[in-house]
Amino acid sequence: MIEFVRNVRLWFVPEEVREDGRTPDYRFSLANERTFLAWLRTSLALVGGGFAVDQFLPDLRWGWRVGLALALLAAGVLCALRAVNHWVRCEQAMRRGEDLPVSRFPVLLSLVVAVVAVVMVAVVLLGWEG
């Protein structure tokens, strides 16, 4: 938990990451940044999907519509937060010459998106209305 709090502080003061270890090959830092941006694009897509479910499915029962929209919106928020945390952890690992950190978050995110997608397929096929 203490490490997480320290990482959150580094989100807002990234120059402090440079004080740890040696500077890696810039190509690795740029690749880490591209990965960060890909996570942000995924986050934006999830947020957009959440709003789309809420706005474009008005005939869907309120509880289903809000539940699906909130699941996508929450996944988008978590994805954005995870992106910056993962960027900091990878940058630190590269500077220290350590293995890159592993995460279960991609599995969790995939499961949430898959469940929402299966429910949406059922909604489309069965034509559930409020």
PDB file of all heavy atoms in Angstrom, residues 34-53:
ATOM      1  N   ARG A  34       3.913   5.213 -25.384  1.00  0.00           N
ATOM      2  CA  ARG A  34       2.919   4.778 -26.368  1.00  0.00           C
ATOM      3  C   ARG A  34       1.933   3.794 -25.751  1.00  0.00           C
ATOM      4  O   ARG A  34       0.735   3.835 -26.040  1.00  0.00           O
ATOM      5  CB  ARG A  34       3.600   4.153 -27.587  1.00  0.00           C
ATOM      6  CG  ARG A  34       4.230   5.165 -28.515  1.00  0.00           C
ATOM      7  CD  ARG A  34       4.675   4.532 -29.824  1.00  0.00           C
ATOM      8  NE  ARG A  34       5.629   3.454 -29.658  1.00  0.00           N
ATOM      9  CZ  ARG A  34       6.944   3.602 -29.567  1.00  0.00           C
ATOM     10  NH1 ARG A  34       7.466   4.810 -29.623  1.00  0.00           N
ATOM     11  NH2 ARG A  34       7.736   2.557 -29.432  1.00  0.00           N
ATOM     12  N   THR A  35       2.438   2.910 -24.885  1.00  0.00           N
ATOM     13  CA  THR A  35       1.548   1.977 -24.195  1.00  0.00           C
ATOM     14  C   THR A  35       0.586   2.736 -23.295  1.00  0.00           C
ATOM     15  O   THR A  35      -0.610   2.440 -23.246  1.00  0.00           O
ATOM     16  CB  THR A  35       2.375   0.969 -23.375  1.00  0.00           C
ATOM     17  OG1 THR A  35       3.255   0.280 -24.269  1.00  0.00           O
ATOM     18  CG2 THR A  35       1.484  -0.028 -22.670  1.00  0.00           C
ATOM     19  N   PHE A  36       1.099   3.734 -22.583  1.00  0.00           N
ATOM     20  CA  PHE A  36       0.265   4.587 -21.742  1.00  0.00           C
ATOM     21  C   PHE A  36      -0.848   5.231 -22.573  1.00  0.00           C
ATOM     22  O   PHE A  36      -2.028   5.223 -22.180  1.00  0.00           O
ATOM     23  CB  PHE A  36       1.143   5.652 -21.078  1.00  0.00           C
ATOM     24  CG  PHE A  36       0.392   6.771 -20.437  1.00  0.00           C
ATOM     25  CD1 PHE A  36      -0.279   6.576 -19.239  1.00  0.00           C
ATOM     26  CD2 PHE A  36       0.360   8.023 -21.024  1.00  0.00           C
ATOM     27  CE1 PHE A  36      -0.974   7.616 -18.638  1.00  0.00           C
ATOM     28  CE2 PHE A  36      -0.320   9.065 -20.426  1.00  0.00           C
ATOM     29  CZ  PHE A  36      -0.995   8.862 -19.239  1.00  0.00           C
ATOM     30  N   LEU A  37      -0.487   5.776 -23.722  1.00  0.00           N
ATOM     31  CA  LEU A  37      -1.483   6.420 -24.581  1.00  0.00           C
ATOM     32  C   LEU A  37      -2.500   5.420 -25.119  1.00  0.00           C
ATOM     33  O   LEU A  37      -3.682   5.746 -25.276  1.00  0.00           O
ATOM     34  CB  LEU A  37      -0.788   7.175 -25.722  1.00  0.00           C
ATOM     35  CG  LEU A  37       0.059   8.370 -25.264  1.00  0.00           C
ATOM     36  CD1 LEU A  37       0.853   8.925 -26.439  1.00  0.00           C
ATOM     37  CD2 LEU A  37      -0.805   9.431 -24.619  1.00  0.00           C
ATOM     38  N   ALA A  38      -2.081   4.196 -25.385  1.00  0.00           N
ATOM     39  CA  ALA A  38      -3.023   3.167 -25.830  1.00  0.00           C
ATOM     40  C   ALA A  38      -4.040   2.856 -24.724  1.00  0.00           C
ATOM     41  O   ALA A  38      -5.238   2.673 -24.994  1.00  0.00           O
ATOM     42  CB  ALA A  38      -2.269   1.897 -26.230  1.00  0.00           C
ATOM     43  N   TRP A  39      -3.556   2.792 -23.481  1.00  0.00           N
ATOM     44  CA  TRP A  39      -4.481   2.578 -22.358  1.00  0.00           C
ATOM     45  C   TRP A  39      -5.464   3.741 -22.246  1.00  0.00           C
ATOM     46  O   TRP A  39      -6.645   3.539 -21.947  1.00  0.00           O
ATOM     47  CB  TRP A  39      -3.701   2.412 -21.051  1.00  0.00           C
ATOM     48  CG  TRP A  39      -3.167   1.029 -20.861  1.00  0.00           C
ATOM     49  CD1 TRP A  39      -1.899   0.606 -21.109  1.00  0.00           C
ATOM     50  CD2 TRP A  39      -3.879  -0.114 -20.383  1.00  0.00           C
ATOM     51  NE1 TRP A  39      -1.780  -0.730 -20.808  1.00  0.00           N
ATOM     52  CE2 TRP A  39      -2.985  -1.191 -20.359  1.00  0.00           C
ATOM     53  CE3 TRP A  39      -5.188  -0.317 -19.974  1.00  0.00           C
ATOM     54  CZ2 TRP A  39      -3.360  -2.461 -19.954  1.00  0.00           C
ATOM     55  CZ3 TRP A  39      -5.558  -1.585 -19.564  1.00  0.00           C
ATOM     56  CH2 TRP A  39      -4.655  -2.640 -19.555  1.00  0.00           C
ATOM     57  N   LEU A  40      -4.988   4.962 -22.468  1.00  0.00           N
ATOM     58  CA  LEU A  40      -5.897   6.114 -22.411  1.00  0.00           C
ATOM     59  C   LEU A  40      -6.933   6.069 -23.529  1.00  0.00           C
ATOM     60  O   LEU A  40      -8.097   6.413 -23.313  1.00  0.00           O
ATOM     61  CB  LEU A  40      -5.113   7.423 -22.472  1.00  0.00           C
ATOM     62  CG  LEU A  40      -4.388   7.818 -21.192  1.00  0.00           C
ATOM     63  CD1 LEU A  40      -3.740   9.185 -21.352  1.00  0.00           C
ATOM     64  CD2 LEU A  40      -5.325   7.826 -19.998  1.00  0.00           C
ATOM     65  N   ARG A  41      -6.528   5.635 -24.707  1.00  0.00           N
ATOM     66  CA  ARG A  41      -7.498   5.494 -25.803  1.00  0.00           C
ATOM     67  C   ARG A  41      -8.548   4.453 -25.442  1.00  0.00           C
ATOM     68  O   ARG A  41      -9.742   4.626 -25.717  1.00  0.00           O
ATOM     69  CB  ARG A  41      -6.797   5.112 -27.109  1.00  0.00           C
ATOM     70  CG  ARG A  41      -6.057   6.248 -27.753  1.00  0.00           C
ATOM     71  CD  ARG A  41      -5.585   5.897 -29.156  1.00  0.00           C
ATOM     72  NE  ARG A  41      -4.679   4.767 -29.195  1.00  0.00           N
ATOM     73  CZ  ARG A  41      -3.361   4.830 -29.044  1.00  0.00           C
ATOM     74  NH1 ARG A  41      -2.793   6.002 -28.815  1.00  0.00           N
ATOM     75  NH2 ARG A  41      -2.615   3.757 -29.118  1.00  0.00           N
ATOM     76  N   THR A  42      -8.107   3.368 -24.822  1.00  0.00           N
ATOM     77  CA  THR A  42      -9.050   2.346 -24.384  1.00  0.00           C
ATOM     78  C   THR A  42     -10.011   2.925 -23.351  1.00  0.00           C
ATOM     79  O   THR A  42     -11.214   2.686 -23.394  1.00  0.00           O
ATOM     80  CB  THR A  42      -8.287   1.144 -23.791  1.00  0.00           C
ATOM     81  OG1 THR A  42      -7.416   0.616 -24.792  1.00  0.00           O
ATOM     82  CG2 THR A  42      -9.240   0.073 -23.313  1.00  0.00           C
ATOM     83  N   SER A  43      -9.482   3.709 -22.439  1.00  0.00           N
ATOM     84  CA  SER A  43     -10.304   4.351 -21.421  1.00  0.00           C
ATOM     85  C   SER A  43     -11.354   5.264 -22.055  1.00  0.00           C
ATOM     86  O   SER A  43     -12.536   5.225 -21.680  1.00  0.00           O
ATOM     87  CB  SER A  43      -9.413   5.147 -20.468  1.00  0.00           C
ATOM     88  OG  SER A  43     -10.179   5.868 -19.549  1.00  0.00           O
ATOM     89  N   LEU A  44     -10.930   6.072 -23.003  1.00  0.00           N
ATOM     90  CA  LEU A  44     -11.873   6.962 -23.683  1.00  0.00           C
ATOM     91  C   LEU A  44     -12.943   6.181 -24.434  1.00  0.00           C
ATOM     92  O   LEU A  44     -14.115   6.583 -24.455  1.00  0.00           O
ATOM     93  CB  LEU A  44     -11.122   7.881 -24.648  1.00  0.00           C
ATOM     94  CG  LEU A  44     -10.312   8.996 -24.002  1.00  0.00           C
ATOM     95  CD1 LEU A  44      -9.423   9.676 -25.038  1.00  0.00           C
ATOM     96  CD2 LEU A  44     -11.231  10.002 -23.339  1.00  0.00           C
ATOM     97  N   ALA A  45     -12.572   5.073 -25.052  1.00  0.00           N
ATOM     98  CA  ALA A  45     -13.552   4.244 -25.760  1.00  0.00           C
ATOM     99  C   ALA A  45     -14.580   3.661 -24.786  1.00  0.00           C
ATOM    100  O   ALA A  45     -15.780   3.611 -25.093  1.00  0.00           O
ATOM    101  CB  ALA A  45     -12.844   3.119 -26.516  1.00  0.00           C
ATOM    102  N   LEU A  46     -14.116   3.224 -23.611  1.00  0.00           N
ATOM    103  CA  LEU A  46     -15.039   2.687 -22.616  1.00  0.00           C
ATOM    104  C   LEU A  46     -15.993   3.765 -22.102  1.00  0.00           C
ATOM    105  O   LEU A  46     -17.196   3.521 -21.948  1.00  0.00           O
ATOM    106  CB  LEU A  46     -14.256   2.076 -21.457  1.00  0.00           C
ATOM    107  CG  LEU A  46     -13.523   0.773 -21.785  1.00  0.00           C
ATOM    108  CD1 LEU A  46     -12.495   0.445 -20.703  1.00  0.00           C
ATOM    109  CD2 LEU A  46     -14.510  -0.362 -21.959  1.00  0.00           C
ATOM    110  N   VAL A  47     -15.473   4.954 -21.851  1.00  0.00           N
ATOM    111  CA  VAL A  47     -16.322   6.060 -21.401  1.00  0.00           C
ATOM    112  C   VAL A  47     -17.338   6.407 -22.497  1.00  0.00           C
ATOM    113  O   VAL A  47     -18.539   6.578 -22.232  1.00  0.00           O
ATOM    114  CB  VAL A  47     -15.466   7.285 -21.013  1.00  0.00           C
ATOM    115  CG1 VAL A  47     -16.326   8.526 -20.811  1.00  0.00           C
ATOM    116  CG2 VAL A  47     -14.670   6.980 -19.746  1.00  0.00           C
ATOM    117  N   GLY A  48     -16.876   6.485 -23.733  1.00  0.00           N
ATOM    118  CA  GLY A  48     -17.787   6.747 -24.850  1.00  0.00           C
ATOM    119  C   GLY A  48     -18.843   5.664 -24.986  1.00  0.00           C
ATOM    120  O   GLY A  48     -20.017   5.957 -25.244  1.00  0.00           O
ATOM    121  N   GLY A  49     -18.445   4.409 -24.789  1.00  0.00           N
ATOM    122  CA  GLY A  49     -19.412   3.310 -24.836  1.00  0.00           C
ATOM    123  C   GLY A  49     -20.447   3.413 -23.731  1.00  0.00           C
ATOM    124  O   GLY A  49     -21.631   3.138 -23.949  1.00  0.00           O
ATOM    125  N   GLY A  50     -20.004   3.833 -22.562  1.00  0.00           N
ATOM    126  CA  GLY A  50     -20.946   4.013 -21.451  1.00  0.00           C
ATOM    127  C   GLY A  50     -21.983   5.077 -21.761  1.00  0.00           C
ATOM    128  O   GLY A  50     -23.178   4.887 -21.523  1.00  0.00           O
ATOM    129  N   PHE A  51     -21.527   6.193 -22.305  1.00  0.00           N
ATOM    130  CA  PHE A  51     -22.475   7.246 -22.672  1.00  0.00           C
ATOM    131  C   PHE A  51     -23.376   6.801 -23.818  1.00  0.00           C
ATOM    132  O   PHE A  51     -24.566   7.128 -23.846  1.00  0.00           O
ATOM    133  CB  PHE A  51     -21.742   8.533 -23.055  1.00  0.00           C
ATOM    134  CG  PHE A  51     -21.290   9.323 -21.863  1.00  0.00           C
ATOM    135  CD1 PHE A  51     -19.944   9.507 -21.615  1.00  0.00           C
ATOM    136  CD2 PHE A  51     -22.206   9.870 -20.984  1.00  0.00           C
ATOM    137  CE1 PHE A  51     -19.525  10.232 -20.510  1.00  0.00           C
ATOM    138  CE2 PHE A  51     -21.802  10.589 -19.873  1.00  0.00           C
ATOM    139  CZ  PHE A  51     -20.458  10.772 -19.638  1.00  0.00           C
ATOM    140  N   ALA A  52     -22.830   6.046 -24.768  1.00  0.00           N
ATOM    141  CA  ALA A  52     -23.635   5.570 -25.894  1.00  0.00           C
ATOM    142  C   ALA A  52     -24.746   4.645 -25.410  1.00  0.00           C
ATOM    143  O   ALA A  52     -25.894   4.756 -25.860  1.00  0.00           O
ATOM    144  CB  ALA A  52     -22.742   4.853 -26.908  1.00  0.00           C
ATOM    145  N   VAL A  53     -24.441   3.741 -24.507  1.00  0.00           N
ATOM    146  CA  VAL A  53     -25.463   2.839 -23.967  1.00  0.00           C
ATOM    147  C   VAL A  53     -26.571   3.654 -23.312  1.00  0.00           C
ATOM    148  O   VAL A  53     -27.757   3.410 -23.520  1.00  0.00           O
ATOM    149  CB  VAL A  53     -24.842   1.843 -22.957  1.00  0.00           C
ATOM    150  CG1 VAL A  53     -25.906   1.158 -22.123  1.00  0.00           C
ATOM    151  CG2 VAL A  53     -24.005   0.804 -23.690  1.00  0.00           C
TER     152      VAL A  53
END
